């Protein structure tokens, strides 16, 4: 039955472990990244066009969640937005993948804007040590939306807080951090989403 289901679409696959879940989720976000800068760029959806400042983190999370939900809907993967895990604490996005053996493989995605004051530490202190550790979740993805635009005014405190890195430098920093702080049973990866207006 599983094999027949796979033959209906070359994009379908059986999720058996967290590494396979990472592959599918990152592949989906890669597609979202491409859409941001394709012929009809969707990146404008992440900016307030009346004053050219980025939309808030919640708006980015909502758009990523909707994209993931659409991409993963036929793969027996459930995408949950703002799932409450403790009183007063909420994850940004939680993904539950149901394997062929009916085991649930869980991933938490923490979304941050490039201006967040705990940008360089939240992967460890918030995603790993709080959301993952306290909820027996083995897989985490730290998703950073990196905004840049010549029209983005200096009067916006978020621009002043953003590190003066290129997207490539940000990707290298967070990829190394994810590798350094991963532990057995606590696997982390990062993704820096290029949300620049060109």
């Amino acid at each position: 039955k599983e094999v027949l289901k796979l033959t209906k679409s070359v994009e379908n696959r059986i999720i058996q472990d967290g590494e396979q879940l990472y592959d599918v989720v990152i592949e989906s976000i890669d597609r979202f990244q491409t859409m941001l800068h394709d012929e009809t760029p969707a990146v404008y959806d992440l900016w307030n066009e009346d004053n050219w400042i980025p939309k808030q983190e919640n708006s980015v999370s909502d758009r990523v969640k909707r994209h993931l939900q659409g991409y993963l809907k036929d793969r027996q993967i459930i995408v949950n937005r703002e799932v409450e895990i403790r009183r007063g604490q909420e994850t940004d996005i939680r993904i539950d993948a149901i394997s062929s053996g009916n085991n649930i493989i869980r991933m938490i995605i923490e979304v941050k804007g490039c201006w967040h004051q705990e940008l360089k530490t939240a992967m460890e202190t918030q995603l790993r040590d709080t959301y993952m550790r306290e909820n027996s979740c083995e897989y985490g993805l730290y998703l950073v939306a990196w905004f840049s635009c010549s029209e983005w005014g200096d009067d916006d405190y978020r621009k002043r807080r953003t590190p003066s890195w290129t997207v490539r430098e940000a990707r290298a920093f967070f990829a190394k951090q994810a590798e350094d702080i991963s532990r057995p049973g606590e696997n982390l990866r990062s993704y820096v989403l290029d949300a620049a207006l060109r």
Side-chain angles (χ1 to χ4, degrees), residues 40-93:
T40 307
V43 69
Y44 290 98
D45 296 341
L46 303 181
W47 289 81
N48 294 301
E49 295 186 48
D50 55 337
N51 53 8
W52 298 113
I53 63 172
K55 292 186 177 178
Q56 298 295 330
E57 285 177 359
N58 280 344
S59 180
V60 177
S61 294
D62 287 343
R63 291 180 185 278
V64 171
K65 185 257 184 179
R66 284 196 295 269
H67 172 79
L68 288 170
Q69 203 162 38
Y71 185 80
L72 304 175
K73 66 180 181 181
D74 295 326
R75 292 172 174 77
Q76 291 185 294
I77 297 174
I78 304 165
V79 183
N80 299 304
R81 171 77 176 95
E82 292 289 358
V83 178
E84 186 173 351
I85 57 176
R86 290 186 61 185
R87 182 176 295 277
Q89 293 183 338
E90 294 177 336
T91 63
D92 279 331
I93 300 169

Side-chain angles (χ1 to χ4, degrees), residues 106-123:
R106 180 162 295 144
M107 178 185 297
I108 292 174
I109 301 177
E110 178 62 22
V111 179
K112 286 283 183 277
C114 56
W115 56 80
H116 197 282
Q117 59 187 1
E118 297 177 16
L119 178 69
K120 297 179 183 178
T121 59
M123 186 194 306

Side-chain angles (χ1 to χ4, degrees), residues 151-194:
E151 300 297 321
W152 186 6
D154 293 334
D155 55 338
D156 185 353
Y157 75 93
R158 295 176 300 169
K159 183 178 182 181
R160 297 194 299 271
R161 279 186 183 172
T162 300
S164 57
W165 295 341
T166 64
V167 170
R168 179 176 293 184
E169 289 170 333
R171 286 173 176 164
F173 177 89
F174 292 113
K176 185 177 187 307
Q177 185 179 61
E179 182 180 350
D180 289 346
I181 70 172
S182 289
R183 301 285 185 270
E186 295 175 336
N187 303 282
L188 290 112
R189 291 195 189 178
S190 66
Y191 196 108
V192 176
L193 194 68
D194 182 359

